[in-house]
Amino acid sequence: MACSGNASELCGGPIRLNIFQSNRPPPVIVQNITTGTGLWTYQGCFTDSPQARTLGTGANIPLGTTPESCAAACLAQGGFTFAGVENGHECWCDNTVHAPTQRVGDADCRQICQVNHAEYCGNANRVAVYEFSPTGKPPGPQVCLDTNLANFTLRAQFKNPPITGPSSVPLKVVAVEIVKNVVWTVLSACTTCCSEWPSISLSNSIISPHSVVVSTQQMTSTFTNDGESPNFVASVPAFAGSQAYCTMTDPTAPVGSPPILAFNGQANAFSLCTNTSANARVDLVFSPVTGHPHYTLDTCQPVNVQVIT
């Protein structure tokens, strides 16, 4: 059917719709903002109201508000440790996140920044909050809750959830290499992969997936370098295991939320990355790096790894 505004073009038809897709990447919730004096880290989407401000000091930014410009303004105007963007154009600062605010899903903070359509700037009565760390290390949980925990599963909670689709996905232990007397596995969000390790235990900071096929199998965690997938090995003789894991509290999540997994003292460094050498299997990666042979950094989505008991 011809378009009403231009008869030389087609505009769908009766109960028919022409659909176009842009090659431009979708907007994102900025996760980290690096400055010369430290690092701002996204803490979540929080409720706000004019009667009870989550962050109490407004900042005027003549050239327009983005997470980056708001963080810079909050630091310059008062050395504030929290910055928040709201309603597409507002910037708020404080040294405390004030009650009675509640953290809500990141999907609530999906209003495009007025001056940068590649980024989100909160929403109406929703403020995307960032916390400053002068050390350059992301603020967050640094104290282990548990180094021993029996029979749990893992779930990846997206820090920047897709507009459509789930906000979290289960992780499973999948085999990636089997040679004589040795089985190597990784954590993956693969939906079509089979797994014989439905549950996991944590003992003295060592992760051990449990096989339902070989009940006597001893599989343990190995040390993981930056940019690699957490992996586990079962061998004969058995590998003693690397003591590097624990659970931590997620301070940005609502009370009662599951704890999150930490490796080598870090709980904020996990991502799901598309493995280009394994039929686009989506694997968990610790601290993704550029130039990796098995994934590209722009396919990696930051996640918290929740421990489900």
Side-chain angles (χ1 to χ4, degrees):
M1 179 179 290
C3 299
S4 60
N6 186 345
S8 66
E9 297 179 350
L10 296 177
C11 287
I15 62 172
R16 295 294 185 268
L17 182 70
N18 287 345
I19 296 177
F20 301 88
Q21 181 176 0
S22 170
N23 289 327
R24 178 182 296 176
V28 298
I29 297 176
V30 174
Q31 296 294 315
N32 296 297
I33 303 166
T34 302
T35 69
T37 56
L39 178 72
W40 293 86
T41 303
Y42 177 64
Q43 298 299 302
C45 180
F46 292 81
T47 59
D48 192 26
S49 73
Q51 294 75 31
R53 285 295 181 191
T54 301
L55 304 177
T57 301
N60 181 38
I61 305 176
L63 297 180
T65 296
T66 64
E68 294 86 351
S69 66
C70 181
C74 289
L75 200 59
Q77 291 185 18
F80 293 106
T81 55
F82 288 97
V85 288
E86 183 171 352
N87 208 24
H89 64 93
E90 299 174 14
C91 174
W92 296 90
C93 314
D94 213 316
N95 289 315
T96 302
V97 177
H98 296 285
T101 188
Q102 293 183 333
R103 187 181 179 186
V104 294
D106 287 343
D108 278 18
C109 279
R110 289 188 178 276
Q111 183 167 338
I112 293 172
C113 302
Q114 290 184 359
V115 297
N116 184 351
H117 290 183
E119 298 176 355
Y120 288 119
C121 282
N123 212 328
N125 296 322
R126 296 291 186 269
V127 57
V129 175
Y130 295 82
E131 184 178 0
F132 180 69
S133 172
T135 64
K137 295 181 179 180
Q142 297 297 320
V143 179
C144 288
L145 284 177
D146 288 303
T147 57
N148 295 279
L149 189 65
N151 297 325
F152 58 87
T153 58
L154 298 173
R155 181 173 65 198
Q157 180 79 30
F158 292 107
K159 295 181 180 179
N160 189 29
I163 296 176
T164 59
S167 60
S168 64
V169 291
L171 295 175
K172 61 177 70 172
V173 179
V174 299
V176 293
E177 185 175 358
I178 301 175
V179 296
K180 185 178 180 180
N181 295 330
V182 182
V183 179
W184 289 92
T185 62
V186 298
L187 288 169
S188 177
C190 176
T191 57
T192 59
C193 299
C194 296
S195 175
E196 65 178 73
W197 302 273
S199 67
I200 300 170
S201 290
L202 181 65
S203 178
N204 294 324
S205 298
I206 299 171
I207 284 184
S208 296
H210 301 303
S211 171
V212 294
V213 177
V214 183
S215 60
T216 58
Q217 182 187 76
Q218 297 182 48
M219 180 171 285
T220 55
S221 50
T222 68
F223 191 83
T224 301
N225 293 317
D226 286 1
E228 302 300 328
S229 294
N231 55 81
F232 316 95
V233 62
S235 61
V236 179
F239 176 64
S242 176
Q243 295 176 295
Y245 289 92
C246 71
T247 66
M248 292 181 172
T249 299
D250 182 354
T252 66
V255 174
S257 296
I260 54 179
L261 188 69
F263 172 77
N264 208 26
Q266 298 183 63
N268 298 319
F270 291 108
S271 289
L272 286 178
C273 302
T274 301
N275 191 329
T276 56
S277 62
N279 297 318
R281 187 183 65 217
V282 179
D283 294 338
L284 189 71
V285 174
F286 177 76
S287 192
V289 297
T290 57
H292 196 278
H294 299 314
Y295 60 82
T296 56
L297 194 59
D298 60 1
T299 70
C300 296
Q301 302 178 70
V303 296
N304 282 332
V305 179
Q306 296 180 322
V307 178
I308 310 300
T309 56

